[in-house]
Amino acid sequence: MKLELRHLRVVCAIADAGSLSKAASVLGLAQPALTAQLHRIEGLLGGKLFDRDHKGARPTALGELVLERARVLLPAFSRLQEDALRLADEDQPSDRFRVGAVNGPMLGGLVHRLTEAHPGAHVGTRVSWSGEELAASVAQGRLDYVLVGVCGDAPPPSEYGLTWSVVAVDPVCVLISEDHPLTLLDEVPLSALKDVQWAATPGDGCFGDCFSAACTRAGFTPRTLYEVDIMGCIDLAQSGDVIALCQPTFRRTPGLAVLPIEGVPLRWRHLLGWDPESPAAAFGPQVLRYAAEAYRETAERNPRYTGWLGEHPEFGAVPHHAVV
């Protein structure tokens, strides 16, 4: 993992709030998730950024250096984006759909439906591992809509005043070699995987903590959780050395099977957000409908999952009026 601008925003948020608990509230994160992020950032930078005690969090000498540079870089980057977008917009049609998305199953289908229904429109996309970063871009007028995923009942990025609607709710599944004996089961007991190593894609939020808690309830502590991109998850799972956590709509891949976890200890909600004060808000319900159609299309690619959905109607695409 490399240092990114979103990491600098986290460091600034902790310094401005004066404590991890206050910063977690501002960022819309659980405090354990923010603590884990800070540890990863400190690992990237080679040392502690904050001294923490009951009085709060105070920057170390290294933290002061990082903050000094971050408070220069972040505004400069924002101005660069704003100036570039302003210049590009002079040549763009007024009818446009700028969509940001984290790793998920709907972006391709959504773009297809937008271009098909609005052939004269400019449809742009932006992908990031950070839902926070994409939500901020919507609030700043750089994107019109954002597709994010959140763990369980965790809230979406909340500080930007966006309207959020639920597109679908999925069980978190495992991506496993199709030669594994467990593929004969309809659902995999989490306790049967206590001795494996794990992989998952990176992102914001509390998923890592929720996964560890689910393993604890199943009677074990996970050995490893590698944080890698999608191709890394596929390579590791195909090698047989790792089981990856994935969405049930994961595209079918030779040599691999996607299986639900027994009892659904982990859930993933797909959300669409937009700024209610922006012109894009008028098309929000339409884009939400397209996203739900795209989700259903991807779900139907996995017959095993569609069969599972028939027995678990509380999962899958949800009614369009479901608002967070």
Side-chain angles (χ1 to χ4, degrees):
M1 187 171 70
K2 297 180 179 180
L3 186 68
E4 301 176 16
L5 288 171
R6 64 187 177 94
H7 298 142
L8 299 181
R9 293 190 181 99
V10 167
V11 174
C12 289
I14 295 171
D16 292 340
S19 75
L20 262 69
S21 60
K22 292 179 181 178
S25 177
V26 170
L27 294 171
L29 298 173
Q31 184 172 337
L34 181 59
T35 301
Q37 281 197 43
L38 177 59
H39 288 162
R40 288 195 291 269
I41 295 168
E42 289 177 330
L44 290 171
L45 293 170
K48 286 181 60 177
L49 299 180
F50 295 93
D51 289 321
R52 292 186 286 145
D53 56 27
H54 67 281
K55 295 181 180 179
R58 297 175 304 282
T60 62
L62 177 59
E64 292 286 4
L65 173 65
V66 173
L67 284 166
E68 179 184 349
R69 303 294 174 83
R71 297 194 193 283
V72 173
L73 287 172
L74 291 174
F77 183 77
S78 295
R79 287 194 297 272
L80 171 62
Q81 286 188 310
E82 290 166 2
D83 291 344
L85 288 169
R86 190 179 304 113
L87 180 62
D89 285 346
E90 293 177 0
D91 298 322
Q92 297 294 345
S94 58
D95 189 11
R96 69 183 183 191
F97 300 89
R98 300 170 299 172
V99 183
V102 297
N103 175 39
M106 290 169 283
L107 182 59
L110 175 57
V111 168
H112 171 73
R113 285 162 173 78
L114 288 171
T115 55
E116 187 175 57
H118 302 272
H122 169 71
V123 178
T125 60
R126 179 181 168 198
V127 177
S128 171
W129 295 117
S130 172
E132 287 280 341
E133 181 180 305
L134 293 174
S137 293
V138 174
Q140 294 159 1
R142 300 169 189 163
L143 291 173
D144 300 310
Y145 308 96
V146 58
L147 283 165
V148 303
V150 296
C151 177
D153 295 320
S158 57
E159 64 176 297
Y160 305 107
L162 304 190
T163 293
W164 293 100
S165 295
V166 184
V167 180
V169 182
D170 278 334
V172 174
C173 295
V174 293
L175 186 66
I176 188 171
S177 170
E178 64 182 11
D179 296 328
H180 198 288
L182 290 175
T183 58
L184 299 175
L185 302 176
D186 292 330
E187 297 180 325
V188 179
L190 189 57
S191 59
L193 303 172
K194 63 181 180 180
D195 295 323
V196 308
Q197 298 185 94
W198 298 88
T201 54
D204 298 329
C206 59
F207 181 75
D209 296 315
C210 292
F211 170 65
S212 295
C215 293
T216 298
R217 292 193 296 270
F220 69 96
T221 299
R223 291 172 54 191
T224 311
L225 181 58
Y226 296 113
E227 193 175 76
V228 294
D229 62 13
I230 293 174
M231 290 308 301
C233 284
I234 291 173
D235 290 342
L236 289 169
Q238 285 178 329
S239 73
D241 296 326
V242 165
I243 290 178
L245 295 160
C246 70
Q247 299 170 23
T249 49
F250 195 89
R251 189 176 294 274
R252 295 184 69 179
T253 305
L256 295 175
V258 175
L259 300 176
I261 303 172
E262 185 177 81
V264 193
L266 295 164
R267 294 182 300 120
W268 194 252
R269 290 188 300 152
H270 303 280
L271 307 176
L272 178 73
W274 62 81
D275 182 350
E277 303 298 326
S278 72
F283 293 94
Q286 181 184 69
V287 177
L288 178 62
R289 185 173 68 252
Y290 291 156
E293 292 172 359
Y295 171 85
R296 292 188 185 95
E297 182 179 62
T298 58
E300 289 170 358
R301 296 174 187 161
N302 184 344
R304 192 167 189 167
Y305 182 49
T306 54
W308 187 91
L309 284 176
E311 300 177 1
H312 300 80
E314 67 273 27
F315 291 93
V318 303
H320 295 159
H321 60 266
V323 177
V324 178

